Amino acid sequence: MTVETSLYNTPLADEHVALGAKMVSFGGWNMPLQYESIATEWEYNRKAVSLFDCSHMGEFMIKGDAKACGLDSIVMQAISDMPLNSCRYGAMLNDLGGVIDDLIVYRKGLRDWMIVVNAANIEKNARHFRAHLNSSAQFEDASFKTAKLDVQGPQSRDALKFLAPGIEKLTYYTFDQFQINGISCLISRTGYTGELGYEIYCPWEKAKEIWKTILNNATVKPTGLGVRDVLRVEMCYSLYGHELEETISPLEAGLDKFIDEKKDFIGCQSVSAHPPGKVIGYFISASRRSPRAGHKIFDTSGNEIGGVTSGTFSFGLQLGIGIGFMIPDANKVGMGVLFGDEKNKTAATVAKRPFYKKGSLKS
Amino acid sequence: MEIEENFLYTKEHEWVSIEDNIATMGITDYAQEALGDVTYVELPEEGAEVEQFEEFVSVESVKAASDIFAPMAGKVLEVNRKLEDDPAWINKDCYGKGWIARIEVRDMDESTNLMSAEEYRNYLESLEH
């Protein structure tokens, strides 16, 4: 296997190939799908600690007063009240109230922000920020000079405490600057797996050294995007392109609690003016048969009530699990539904999020 | 890629091992590798009559669902019930404990529609180019 050149490569692409990873294209990037079996990588993450290369994700650096420079009206979540060194999840919307992207805002200083966005949306998002920030803001797209390594799993703190002394003090959704091998890194206690975990932001050219240093600890195993998708569906975390789209409102996507209702932000009037149609719901298959994106959802009489946006096999539940959009009347915890197509339907039950309840996220 | 020398193969990457008039079948190493972690197998009914190259089993992996085709026509005598709870046998031992079904062969001449190990090896090579 050779390193693909028509796609973007992270600074770790040849490390992945050397480790025997199966590589796939994801959001325009050449990324590791898996190094071992996905079941094995699931065990590494849920029982010990695993390492993901997430350098494909985008990082924007913005300097300016949140309200005065326009940043506060671009994102739907409250940010002016954020403590220093904290993170906050949310999204930015278009004029029609649809989700342009979901994102995490990091407050590095009173007027110093980092915004982390999805890889496939970097260019579109940068255009949106440039169009809506005013001249008092400084905007930099640092995506191609900032690598991101995710250390996730119940033993992630133990794996990092000697490499990044002081990391124990980080509470959920906070961050700080640390030195790993003398390299300055921003490390936040955040992640996409439902386990205790950290995201390490470091200079692009130093990523290989940090990757190798972390893997020197034999308890840490590299894991790919294949298991990452299983882990995030088990936690009912939305993924842009599946549960989030420019045509889906944050209310439909179940992001209500991340909206600051007291402020005026782009798209807010459209969101409040249009009551949601189909809303996001979560369901567990009655068997190992798994729902797939594109499947339809039916009520138990066979009437179509929605569609599946993500589905996979849950290694935690040993059953199929799915996320989809359904008409609200049929989308209540405990209700029976069917997924599949006109010919082949499988029984499932609408469930409470998350599917996987044993995660070490807040331990 | 592992290939069993005495088995016969289909273009859809099923293998078949024929003893007397009983054909034991499964999917090849190439197929299990391409599918990745197998998470669900929908086995056929025992006693069902199947035609050669008719889809009769459905296999799901973390990635996708795939149809599996009967390599020979006949009656399904037995299915591998172990796969219901532990479908990963298909990944761990595709030519052994990961077998899927045994078929009572109706017409032995149909084996001429299958590939030998040597032919299957060449076929896999042709797929890579």
Side-chain angles (χ1 to χ4, degrees), chain A residues 85-107:
Chain A
N85 287 16
S86 70
C87 323
R88 199 167 280 172
Y89 177 79
M92 58 183 189
L93 311 183
N94 58 31
D95 289 333
L96 301 173
V99 177
I100 296 175
D101 204 1
D102 62 335
L103 46 80
I104 299 182
V105 174
Y106 286 65
R107 186 166 211 173

PDB file of all heavy atoms in Angstrom, chain A residues 85-107:
ATOM      1  N   ASN A  85      -9.774  28.916  29.556  1.00  0.00           N
ATOM      2  CA  ASN A  85      -9.350  27.511  29.512  1.00  0.00           C
ATOM      3  C   ASN A  85     -10.514  26.518  29.610  1.00  0.00           C
ATOM      4  O   ASN A  85     -10.346  25.421  30.113  1.00  0.00           O
ATOM      5  CB  ASN A  85      -8.318  27.205  30.604  1.00  0.00           C
ATOM      6  CG  ASN A  85      -6.964  27.817  30.288  1.00  0.00           C
ATOM      7  OD1 ASN A  85      -6.868  28.697  29.433  1.00  0.00           O
ATOM      8  ND2 ASN A  85      -5.935  27.348  30.933  1.00  0.00           N
ATOM      9  N   SER A  86     -11.679  26.939  29.115  1.00  0.00           N
ATOM     10  CA  SER A  86     -12.782  25.985  29.038  1.00  0.00           C
ATOM     11  C   SER A  86     -13.210  25.833  27.575  1.00  0.00           C
ATOM     12  O   SER A  86     -12.844  26.649  26.719  1.00  0.00           O
ATOM     13  CB  SER A  86     -13.964  26.455  29.887  1.00  0.00           C
ATOM     14  OG  SER A  86     -14.570  27.592  29.302  1.00  0.00           O
ATOM     15  N   CYS A  87     -13.947  24.759  27.296  1.00  0.00           N
ATOM     16  CA  CYS A  87     -14.444  24.471  25.948  1.00  0.00           C
ATOM     17  C   CYS A  87     -15.965  24.451  25.995  1.00  0.00           C
ATOM     18  O   CYS A  87     -16.544  24.135  27.036  1.00  0.00           O
ATOM     19  CB  CYS A  87     -13.998  23.097  25.462  1.00  0.00           C
ATOM     20  SG  CYS A  87     -12.356  22.589  25.940  1.00  0.00           S
ATOM     21  N   ARG A  88     -16.589  24.740  24.881  1.00  0.00           N
ATOM     22  CA  ARG A  88     -18.044  24.622  24.835  1.00  0.00           C
ATOM     23  C   ARG A  88     -18.493  24.149  23.455  1.00  0.00           C
ATOM     24  O   ARG A  88     -18.113  24.692  22.438  1.00  0.00           O
ATOM     25  CB  ARG A  88     -18.707  25.940  25.203  1.00  0.00           C
ATOM     26  CG  ARG A  88     -20.154  25.752  25.605  1.00  0.00           C
ATOM     27  CD  ARG A  88     -20.710  26.994  26.264  1.00  0.00           C
ATOM     28  NE  ARG A  88     -20.328  27.123  27.671  1.00  0.00           N
ATOM     29  CZ  ARG A  88     -20.577  28.213  28.398  1.00  0.00           C
ATOM     30  NH1 ARG A  88     -21.191  29.245  27.858  1.00  0.00           N
ATOM     31  NH2 ARG A  88     -20.210  28.256  29.665  1.00  0.00           N
ATOM     32  N   TYR A  89     -19.310  23.096  23.461  1.00  0.00           N
ATOM     33  CA  TYR A  89     -19.828  22.513  22.213  1.00  0.00           C
ATOM     34  C   TYR A  89     -21.008  23.326  21.700  1.00  0.00           C
ATOM     35  O   TYR A  89     -21.785  23.880  22.480  1.00  0.00           O
ATOM     36  CB  TYR A  89     -20.276  21.068  22.475  1.00  0.00           C
ATOM     37  CG  TYR A  89     -20.895  20.390  21.272  1.00  0.00           C
ATOM     38  CD1 TYR A  89     -20.092  19.873  20.258  1.00  0.00           C
ATOM     39  CD2 TYR A  89     -22.279  20.286  21.151  1.00  0.00           C
ATOM     40  CE1 TYR A  89     -20.672  19.270  19.149  1.00  0.00           C
ATOM     41  CE2 TYR A  89     -22.856  19.674  20.045  1.00  0.00           C
ATOM     42  CZ  TYR A  89     -22.051  19.170  19.048  1.00  0.00           C
ATOM     43  OH  TYR A  89     -22.619  18.578  17.947  1.00  0.00           O
ATOM     44  N   GLY A  90     -21.155  23.382  20.399  1.00  0.00           N
ATOM     45  CA  GLY A  90     -22.301  24.053  19.792  1.00  0.00           C
ATOM     46  C   GLY A  90     -22.258  23.918  18.293  1.00  0.00           C
ATOM     47  O   GLY A  90     -21.734  22.927  17.765  1.00  0.00           O
ATOM     48  N   ALA A  91     -22.793  24.928  17.599  1.00  0.00           N
ATOM     49  CA  ALA A  91     -22.837  24.845  16.137  1.00  0.00           C
ATOM     50  C   ALA A  91     -22.973  26.243  15.560  1.00  0.00           C
ATOM     51  O   ALA A  91     -23.265  27.195  16.283  1.00  0.00           O
ATOM     52  CB  ALA A  91     -24.033  24.000  15.702  1.00  0.00           C
ATOM     53  N   MET A  92     -22.733  26.363  14.246  1.00  0.00           N
ATOM     54  CA  MET A  92     -23.095  27.608  13.576  1.00  0.00           C
ATOM     55  C   MET A  92     -24.121  27.284  12.499  1.00  0.00           C
ATOM     56  O   MET A  92     -24.116  26.211  11.903  1.00  0.00           O
ATOM     57  CB  MET A  92     -21.877  28.328  13.029  1.00  0.00           C
ATOM     58  CG  MET A  92     -21.029  27.573  12.055  1.00  0.00           C
ATOM     59  SD  MET A  92     -19.606  28.617  11.626  1.00  0.00           S
ATOM     60  CE  MET A  92     -18.908  27.655  10.288  1.00  0.00           C
ATOM     61  N   LEU A  93     -25.038  28.234  12.306  1.00  0.00           N
ATOM     62  CA  LEU A  93     -26.199  28.000  11.445  1.00  0.00           C
ATOM     63  C   LEU A  93     -26.191  28.941  10.256  1.00  0.00           C
ATOM     64  O   LEU A  93     -25.602  30.026  10.306  1.00  0.00           O
ATOM     65  CB  LEU A  93     -27.488  28.240  12.243  1.00  0.00           C
ATOM     66  CG  LEU A  93     -27.610  27.567  13.616  1.00  0.00           C
ATOM     67  CD1 LEU A  93     -28.977  27.864  14.218  1.00  0.00           C
ATOM     68  CD2 LEU A  93     -27.383  26.060  13.521  1.00  0.00           C
ATOM     69  N   ASN A  94     -26.882  28.533   9.196  1.00  0.00           N
ATOM     70  CA  ASN A  94     -27.101  29.439   8.073  1.00  0.00           C
ATOM     71  C   ASN A  94     -28.331  30.304   8.346  1.00  0.00           C
ATOM     72  O   ASN A  94     -29.003  30.138   9.370  1.00  0.00           O
ATOM     73  CB  ASN A  94     -27.195  28.649   6.759  1.00  0.00           C
ATOM     74  CG  ASN A  94     -28.319  27.609   6.780  1.00  0.00           C
ATOM     75  OD1 ASN A  94     -29.343  27.802   7.440  1.00  0.00           O
ATOM     76  ND2 ASN A  94     -28.119  26.506   6.070  1.00  0.00           N
ATOM     77  N   ASP A  95     -28.641  31.209   7.419  1.00  0.00           N
ATOM     78  CA  ASP A  95     -29.760  32.140   7.626  1.00  0.00           C
ATOM     79  C   ASP A  95     -31.085  31.410   7.803  1.00  0.00           C
ATOM     80  O   ASP A  95     -32.014  31.922   8.420  1.00  0.00           O
ATOM     81  CB  ASP A  95     -29.879  33.093   6.432  1.00  0.00           C
ATOM     82  CG  ASP A  95     -28.725  34.087   6.404  1.00  0.00           C
ATOM     83  OD1 ASP A  95     -28.181  34.382   7.488  1.00  0.00           O
ATOM     84  OD2 ASP A  95     -28.365  34.543   5.298  1.00  0.00           O
ATOM     85  N   LEU A  96     -31.181  30.216   7.223  1.00  0.00           N
ATOM     86  CA  LEU A  96     -32.429  29.452   7.298  1.00  0.00           C
ATOM     87  C   LEU A  96     -32.500  28.591   8.561  1.00  0.00           C
ATOM     88  O   LEU A  96     -33.453  27.836   8.748  1.00  0.00           O
ATOM     89  CB  LEU A  96     -32.583  28.568   6.053  1.00  0.00           C
ATOM     90  CG  LEU A  96     -32.609  29.320   4.727  1.00  0.00           C
ATOM     91  CD1 LEU A  96     -32.590  28.357   3.549  1.00  0.00           C
ATOM     92  CD2 LEU A  96     -33.828  30.233   4.667  1.00  0.00           C
ATOM     93  N   GLY A  97     -31.476  28.684   9.402  1.00  0.00           N
ATOM     94  CA  GLY A  97     -31.498  27.935  10.661  1.00  0.00           C
ATOM     95  C   GLY A  97     -30.981  26.518  10.536  1.00  0.00           C
ATOM     96  O   GLY A  97     -31.134  25.717  11.452  1.00  0.00           O
ATOM     97  N   GLY A  98     -30.360  26.185   9.399  1.00  0.00           N
ATOM     98  CA  GLY A  98     -29.759  24.851   9.223  1.00  0.00           C
ATOM     99  C   GLY A  98     -28.322  24.844   9.731  1.00  0.00           C
ATOM    100  O   GLY A  98     -27.669  25.894   9.809  1.00  0.00           O
ATOM    101  N   VAL A  99     -27.823  23.676  10.060  1.00  0.00           N
ATOM    102  CA  VAL A  99     -26.498  23.566  10.669  1.00  0.00           C
ATOM    103  C   VAL A  99     -25.398  23.589   9.588  1.00  0.00           C
ATOM    104  O   VAL A  99     -25.347  22.704   8.731  1.00  0.00           O
ATOM    105  CB  VAL A  99     -26.384  22.265  11.506  1.00  0.00           C
ATOM    106  CG1 VAL A  99     -24.976  22.109  12.071  1.00  0.00           C
ATOM    107  CG2 VAL A  99     -27.409  22.252  12.637  1.00  0.00           C
ATOM    108  N   ILE A 100     -24.553  24.603   9.627  1.00  0.00           N
ATOM    109  CA  ILE A 100     -23.391  24.657   8.723  1.00  0.00           C
ATOM    110  C   ILE A 100     -22.338  23.673   9.218  1.00  0.00           C
ATOM    111  O   ILE A 100     -21.722  22.955   8.444  1.00  0.00           O
ATOM    112  CB  ILE A 100     -22.800  26.085   8.661  1.00  0.00           C
ATOM    113  CG1 ILE A 100     -23.823  27.054   8.058  1.00  0.00           C
ATOM    114  CG2 ILE A 100     -21.493  26.099   7.863  1.00  0.00           C
ATOM    115  CD1 ILE A 100     -23.366  28.506   8.074  1.00  0.00           C
ATOM    116  N   ASP A 101     -22.134  23.646  10.528  1.00  0.00           N
ATOM    117  CA  ASP A 101     -21.228  22.663  11.128  1.00  0.00           C
ATOM    118  C   ASP A 101     -21.434  22.685  12.637  1.00  0.00           C
ATOM    119  O   ASP A 101     -21.851  23.698  13.191  1.00  0.00           O
ATOM    120  CB  ASP A 101     -19.756  22.994  10.805  1.00  0.00           C
ATOM    121  CG  ASP A 101     -18.860  21.750  10.884  1.00  0.00           C
ATOM    122  OD1 ASP A 101     -19.384  20.649  11.170  1.00  0.00           O
ATOM    123  OD2 ASP A 101     -17.645  21.879  10.670  1.00  0.00           O
ATOM    124  N   ASP A 102     -21.127  21.573  13.272  1.00  0.00           N
ATOM    125  CA  ASP A 102     -21.028  21.617  14.728  1.00  0.00           C
ATOM    126  C   ASP A 102     -19.568  21.870  15.074  1.00  0.00           C
ATOM    127  O   ASP A 102     -18.675  21.608  14.253  1.00  0.00           O
ATOM    128  CB  ASP A 102     -21.604  20.365  15.413  1.00  0.00           C
ATOM    129  CG  ASP A 102     -20.892  19.070  15.062  1.00  0.00           C
ATOM    130  OD1 ASP A 102     -20.284  18.992  13.983  1.00  0.00           O
ATOM    131  OD2 ASP A 102     -20.967  18.119  15.864  1.00  0.00           O
ATOM    132  N   LEU A 103     -19.320  22.415  16.226  1.00  0.00           N
ATOM    133  CA  LEU A 103     -17.967  22.871  16.545  1.00  0.00           C
ATOM    134  C   LEU A 103     -17.783  23.001  18.044  1.00  0.00           C
ATOM    135  O   LEU A 103     -18.748  23.038  18.799  1.00  0.00           O
ATOM    136  CB  LEU A 103     -17.692  24.221  15.853  1.00  0.00           C
ATOM    137  CG  LEU A 103     -18.791  25.305  15.939  1.00  0.00           C
ATOM    138  CD1 LEU A 103     -18.747  26.012  17.270  1.00  0.00           C
ATOM    139  CD2 LEU A 103     -18.615  26.311  14.818  1.00  0.00           C
ATOM    140  N   ILE A 104     -16.525  23.053  18.447  1.00  0.00           N
ATOM    141  CA  ILE A 104     -16.209  23.320  19.852  1.00  0.00           C
ATOM    142  C   ILE A 104     -15.403  24.616  19.921  1.00  0.00           C
ATOM    143  O   ILE A 104     -14.445  24.803  19.157  1.00  0.00           O
ATOM    144  CB  ILE A 104     -15.422  22.163  20.498  1.00  0.00           C
ATOM    145  CG1 ILE A 104     -16.265  20.874  20.460  1.00  0.00           C
ATOM    146  CG2 ILE A 104     -15.063  22.498  21.956  1.00  0.00           C
ATOM    147  CD1 ILE A 104     -15.587  19.673  21.114  1.00  0.00           C
ATOM    148  N   VAL A 105     -15.843  25.511  20.801  1.00  0.00           N
ATOM    149  CA  VAL A 105     -15.130  26.771  21.022  1.00  0.00           C
ATOM    150  C   VAL A 105     -14.231  26.601  22.247  1.00  0.00           C
ATOM    151  O   VAL A 105     -14.677  26.109  23.285  1.00  0.00           O
ATOM    152  CB  VAL A 105     -16.129  27.929  21.255  1.00  0.00           C
ATOM    153  CG1 VAL A 105     -15.389  29.208  21.636  1.00  0.00           C
ATOM    154  CG2 VAL A 105     -16.996  28.139  20.020  1.00  0.00           C
ATOM    155  N   TYR A 106     -12.959  26.960  22.089  1.00  0.00           N
ATOM    156  CA  TYR A 106     -11.991  26.967  23.190  1.00  0.00           C
ATOM    157  C   TYR A 106     -11.693  28.422  23.532  1.00  0.00           C
ATOM    158  O   TYR A 106     -11.359  29.203  22.643  1.00  0.00           O
ATOM    159  CB  TYR A 106     -10.671  26.302  22.745  1.00  0.00           C
ATOM    160  CG  TYR A 106     -10.703  24.800  22.630  1.00  0.00           C
ATOM    161  CD1 TYR A 106     -11.505  24.167  21.684  1.00  0.00           C
ATOM    162  CD2 TYR A 106      -9.891  24.003  23.444  1.00  0.00           C
ATOM    163  CE1 TYR A 106     -11.518  22.777  21.563  1.00  0.00           C
ATOM    164  CE2 TYR A 106      -9.885  22.610  23.331  1.00  0.00           C
ATOM    165  CZ  TYR A 106     -10.705  22.010  22.391  1.00  0.00           C
ATOM    166  OH  TYR A 106     -10.708  20.639  22.271  1.00  0.00           O
ATOM    167  N   ARG A 107     -11.812  28.762  24.809  1.00  0.00           N
ATOM    168  CA  ARG A 107     -11.457  30.132  25.208  1.00  0.00           C
ATOM    169  C   ARG A 107     -10.045  30.137  25.770  1.00  0.00           C
ATOM    170  O   ARG A 107      -9.800  29.735  26.913  1.00  0.00           O
ATOM    171  CB  ARG A 107     -12.445  30.681  26.241  1.00  0.00           C
ATOM    172  CG  ARG A 107     -12.154  32.141  26.538  1.00  0.00           C
ATOM    173  CD  ARG A 107     -13.253  32.836  27.281  1.00  0.00           C
ATOM    174  NE  ARG A 107     -13.305  34.255  26.911  1.00  0.00           N
ATOM    175  CZ  ARG A 107     -14.238  35.086  27.302  1.00  0.00           C
ATOM    176  NH1 ARG A 107     -15.219  34.673  28.070  1.00  0.00           N
ATOM    177  NH2 ARG A 107     -14.208  36.354  26.928  1.00  0.00           N
TER     178      ARG A 107
END
